[in-house]
Amino acid sequence: MAHESFEDKATAEIMNREFVNIKVDREERPDVDRVYMTFVQATTGGGGWPMSVWLTPDLKPFVGGTYVPPVDRYGQPAFKKVLERIAAAWKADCTKISEQGEKIIGALKQTTAFGQTDKEFDSGVMEAAYEQFARTFDASEGGFGGAPKFPRPVTLNFLTRFYARDPHSDAGKRALEMDLVTLRKMAAGGIHDHIGGGFHRYAVDAVWHVPHFEKMLYDQAQLASAYLDAFQITHEPLFESVARDILDYVGRDMTSPEGGFYSAEDADSLFEHGKPEHGEGAFYVWTKAEVGEALGEVAEIFSFHYGIEENGNAPTGSDPHGEFTGKNILIERHSIAETASHFGKTKEDMRRLLADVRAKLFTIRAKQPRPHLDDKIITAWNGLMISAFARGAQVLDDKTYLETAARAAEFLRTDLYDQSRKVLARNFREGRGVDGFADDYAFFIQALLDLYEASFEIKWLKFAIELQSSFDAQFLDATNGGYFTVTGRDPSILFRMKEDNDSAEPAASSIGALNLARLAATRSDAQLLTRAKQTISAFASQLTNFPSALPQMLVGVDLLQGSTRQIVIAGAKNEPRTGALLAEVRRHFLPRTILLLADGGAGQKFLSETNASLSAMKPVNGEPAVYICEDFSCRAPVTNPRELAQILTRQPA
């Protein structure tokens, strides 16, 4: 609509004559977007973007919809006609329209209110969600449902936790299979940038081939974590490789000089430097001739492996406008083993050859016009990305990832946190933006907890506790449980809501419940544990009726249904024997576990203020030791990594 209507002079003339026009960046102002999207969904039965809403002067909506064409099309009137009709109606009876807006907002306030609920749910909610996902799972191509296919990492998070509850059950094995098949198919597909790393927003088809080429930070963060989980469970090199290529892409191309992470890269880019023509995916696609010119005699191998065709490889049904005619979107048509066999090479030789070829194409591609970089820094998305780097540092034993995570966290604390007000900013671009929303706090608190477990720097845990207090003070529904998405301080936001769906990003209350549970287990704090349970109980109706809408909250349900396990490493952080014990712990997928360090220093002293039992956890006869506890009732300490591996393998996650 920006190109078709807003840039059209005739349309702009009507808009500027009849209306006060406000264009909202929904990434910076999700609070504005959420209120008016609720209105559009309630009045039209559907929603989506772009969204156009007409408001009274006191911001009450009275007409709204999604895409409106520039000319009469698809059974819809042209945007100019819509503008003229709405302007005429307002002039004819603005009083009646204002009253209508008031009534609509009053009704929406009622329908979106979360009252106290007596509705209970039991462990069956986990099985019910699993069954819902199993019914829509695409066993052939991975993912859930048909085209278009979106990565939804919150679903994968649920499936791995469901598997870990009972790894030997048929349902547990099936849940893991759904997770791994999806991750493998996505990694092989065109949605994955095989040259530069990272993932595009979604695939327009059911086989992950033709993507919408935009790259979002929140997708990179959550998918990196999902691939790390898969690597911990299976130890398959593929999952490590993909996790690394996501993290390396973000570190290289989406990180600011100060350490924060940028928001996105556009789908479109110029075809050539200095020329205005641009197109979807122009930076990422290749003709067969370009591949041949770049690679010479190995072009045949590359083309076999990645499905390069003379006339382009995008299926016609996935390219209705012919944007990719003659172009190829890289997709792994054959496995390494198949390609190696076809060309009479070993798998290892083929793996090296393809890596070298990708590096060569990366260098060539880097000379092309890059997609536009959205360089605003959003706190919530940075929180997700810090978690991914902190997890990568642990699972892959890579200190550079830890440094990246710590640098980003320090940037947020310094540049996006007002210490005097105890308030986070939502975004940063040449300075702080508006005050933060619930997801900014929830995701950053999670990042700080992950960063503590990766580094054992107690400052991160202390900051998480400080932010949790601010989060609760501003967003907690103390009466009914759960977190509102906004503070209620902004009078232009017509009502407060709670997000009750884990979609492309998890809901703030889902992550909030997990954070409370982790902090409760760290601090031995019954009040925090109660708050975590109340947060989940606030969504009992949604969890009972449609549990697959909140898969990330079900991760919290899983954590709270059993006892959270504490693993305490007693020993000096930089002692090699301590490192060996830590490495063994981090080799295992342990989603119901928190990790603490008792090194005899300030960190252990701080933790012992609320967990007296921690003060007694020390090395055994000078040997670093591991204490495995539930509610700080601990088994005998272990000093041998091999014995520790046996215990962790036997115990439920």
Side-chain angles (χ1 to χ4, degrees):
M1 287 186 71
H3 297 303
E4 293 176 348
S5 295
F6 306 153
E7 295 173 7
D8 175 68
K9 288 184 179 180
T11 305
E13 192 277 326
I14 300 170
M15 293 176 72
N16 292 328
R17 184 184 72 236
E18 303 291 354
F19 304 96
V20 176
N21 303 287
I22 304 170
K23 193 173 183 182
V24 178
D25 183 334
R26 69 186 183 93
E27 295 167 359
E28 291 188 29
R29 294 303 302 264
D31 53 337
V32 175
D33 176 74
R34 192 171 283 118
V35 166
Y36 296 119
M37 179 58 73
T38 301
F39 163 76
V40 169
Q41 289 171 328
T43 54
T44 69
W49 299 275
M51 174 175 66
S52 297
V53 184
W54 284 262
L55 316 178
T56 65
D58 57 353
L59 307 181
K60 305 298 192 302
F62 60 92
V63 175
T66 55
Y67 173 75
V68 184
V71 295
D72 293 350
R73 196 165 62 200
Y74 314 130
Q76 290 181 276
F79 190 59
K80 290 192 287 291
K81 285 185 182 177
V82 172
L83 293 169
E84 297 279 20
R85 289 172 185 175
I86 292 172
W90 177 259
K91 291 171 184 174
D93 199 345
C94 63
T95 302
K96 182 179 179 181
I97 289 174
S98 294
E99 290 173 353
Q100 176 188 343
E102 289 282 358
K103 289 178 182 177
I104 291 171
I105 286 299
L108 289 177
K109 285 181 179 178
Q110 292 293 321
T111 59
T112 58
F114 272 68
Q116 197 163 21
T117 179
D118 296 324
K119 196 161 190 175
E120 296 290 333
F121 57 91
D122 56 25
S123 60
V125 72
M126 301 289 288
E127 283 70 27
Y130 160 75
E131 291 292 345
Q132 287 179 356
F133 288 125
R135 283 195 293 272
T136 60
F137 177 62
D138 182 343
S140 173
E141 299 299 335
F144 301 85
K149 272 191 178 166
F150 287 79
R152 194 189 178 203
V154 289
T155 300
L156 306 179
N157 295 344
F158 165 76
L159 291 172
T160 51
R161 274 69 179 175
F162 187 84
Y163 154 79
R165 288 163 70 90
D166 190 357
H168 304 296
S169 68
D170 289 343
K173 292 174 183 175
R174 176 65 170 154
L176 180 61
E177 180 187 12
M178 288 191 277
D179 174 70
L180 300 182
V181 168
T182 299
L183 290 173
R184 289 188 185 111
K185 291 292 185 178
M186 285 176 53
I191 193 174
H192 182 199
D193 180 359
H194 296 276
I195 301 301
F199 281 81
H200 302 295
R201 179 74 275 269
Y202 64 88
V204 303
D205 51 41
V207 297
W208 306 107
H209 185 177
V210 180
H212 172 52
F213 282 91
E214 186 178 25
K215 285 182 173 180
M216 305 301 300
L217 183 67
Y218 56 75
D219 283 328
Q220 314 312 318
Q222 294 178 90
L223 286 170
S225 293
Y227 278 97
L228 289 167
D229 287 346
F231 178 62
Q232 273 190 312
I233 293 168
T234 67
H235 302 290
E236 286 186 28
L238 168 69
F239 300 123
E240 175 185 7
S241 174
V242 177
R244 283 189 183 276
D245 100 10
I246 297 171
L247 296 175
D248 293 346
Y249 156 67
V250 172
R252 182 187 67 240
D253 292 338
M254 295 189 73
T255 304
S256 74
E258 300 82 8
F261 303 115
Y262 297 133
S263 295
E265 287 193 294
D266 282 0
D268 285 17
S269 58
L270 298 174
F271 293 123
E272 295 181 43
H273 288 289
K275 296 184 178 180
E277 292 80 15
H278 57 87
E280 166 102 7
F283 184 68
Y284 300 101
V285 297
W286 301 83
T287 65
K288 189 173 179 64
E290 287 170 339
V291 170
E293 183 180 347
L295 302 182
E297 61 185 22
V298 297
E300 184 184 357
I301 296 175
F302 185 84
S303 297
F304 178 84
H305 189 73
Y306 287 106
I308 304 294
E309 298 176 17
E310 186 67 45
N311 298 318
N313 68 1
T316 304
S318 301
D319 183 24
H321 303 297
E323 292 178 280
F324 306 118
T325 301
K327 307 290 180 62
N328 291 275
I329 301 163
L330 303 187
I331 181 169
E332 288 193 38
R333 288 295 192 199
H334 299 93
S335 67
I336 293 284
E338 289 169 341
T339 304
S341 175
H342 185 79
F343 290 97
K345 295 181 179 292
T346 68
K347 286 192 292 184
E348 196 50 49
D349 284 345
M350 183 56 66
R351 191 173 283 111
R352 279 196 296 268
L353 183 150
L354 289 172
D356 290 343
V357 168
R358 289 194 301 270
K360 186 171 185 178
L361 291 179
F362 176 85
T363 301
I364 293 170
R365 193 178 78 174
K367 298 172 184 175
Q368 302 302 312
R370 284 195 72 89
H372 171 74
L373 176 68
D374 184 345
D375 62 356
K376 67 177 174 287
I377 293 169
I378 293 178
T379 299
W381 301 358
N382 271 248
L384 293 173
M385 201 69 237
I386 292 166
S387 284
F389 274 107
R391 289 268 295 123
Q394 293 182 74
V395 175
L396 306 178
D397 190 24
D398 192 318
K399 290 182 180 178
T400 62
Y401 294 152
L402 180 58
E403 291 166 2
T404 301
R407 190 161 167 261
E410 198 62 66
F411 169 75
L412 292 188
R413 182 166 69 167
T414 302
D415 289 78
L416 284 106
Y417 184 58
D418 185 336
Q419 180 69 47
S420 63
R421 297 168 59 221
K422 308 291 186 191
V423 170
L424 271 174
R426 166 66 174 177
N427 57 295
F428 183 95
R429 190 178 187 278
E430 300 176 356
R432 287 180 194 159
V434 298
D435 287 352
F437 306 109
D439 57 347
D440 297 302
Y441 286 81
F443 298 177
F444 190 26
I445 292 166
Q446 175 180 251
L448 293 167
L449 296 177
D450 290 334
L451 191 49
Y452 166 74
E453 292 196 17
S455 68
F456 297 120
E457 293 284 344
I458 201 67
K459 66 179 181 180
W460 301 125
L461 181 57
K462 289 180 177 179
F463 190 30
I465 293 166
E466 179 179 325
L467 275 184
Q468 185 66 47
S469 296
S470 181
F471 182 38
D472 290 344
Q474 296 181 82
F475 299 94
L476 180 68
D477 182 348
T479 303
N480 303 309
Y483 291 92
F484 293 110
T485 57
V486 297
T487 63
R489 292 193 296 263
D490 185 346
S492 70
I493 302 303
L494 303 178
F495 50 88
R496 298 174 86 188
M497 300 169 63
K498 295 176 190 171
E499 183 62 62
D500 62 353
N501 194 302
D502 294 317
S503 53
E505 305 165 58
S509 290
S510 297
I511 298 298
L514 276 166
N515 292 341
L516 287 166
R518 293 173 70 181
L519 283 167
T522 301
R523 304 281 286 162
S524 191
D525 189 324
Q527 191 176 25
L528 290 175
L529 184 61
T530 298
R531 200 175 301 153
K533 292 177 178 178
Q534 289 172 340
T535 296
I536 288 175
S537 293
F539 298 87
S541 179
Q542 178 78 315
L543 287 170
T544 301
N545 296 323
F546 191 34
S548 61
L550 282 166
Q552 190 66 40
M553 186 163 284
L554 290 175
V555 173
V557 171
D558 176 58
L559 187 64
L560 291 167
Q561 281 183 344
S563 295
T564 304
R565 183 169 55 184
Q566 299 95 3
I567 294 182
V568 183
I569 310 288
K573 184 167 67 172
N574 297 322
E575 156 73 56
R577 291 173 297 177
T578 305
L581 293 170
L582 260 175
E584 185 55 51
V585 171
R586 289 168 171 166
R587 218 171 53 78
H588 298 264
F589 181 63
L590 306 169
R592 287 185 180 175
T593 301
I594 64 165
L595 189 58
L596 304 172
L597 178 70
D599 61 355
Q604 184 172 3
K605 183 178 179 182
F606 174 76
L607 292 167
S608 298
E609 290 174 4
T610 54
N611 275 335
S613 56
L614 269 167
S615 61
M617 295 184 186
K618 299 176 180 176
V620 176
N621 298 324
E623 289 275 333
V626 176
Y627 295 79
I628 299 176
C629 318
E630 289 192 15
D631 299 323
F632 288 93
S633 175
C634 307
R635 61 190 299 150
V638 178
T639 59
N640 185 290
R642 193 170 300 148
E643 184 181 352
L644 175 61
Q646 292 172 347
I647 294 169
L648 295 176
T649 302
R650 286 199 304 269
Q651 288 204 356

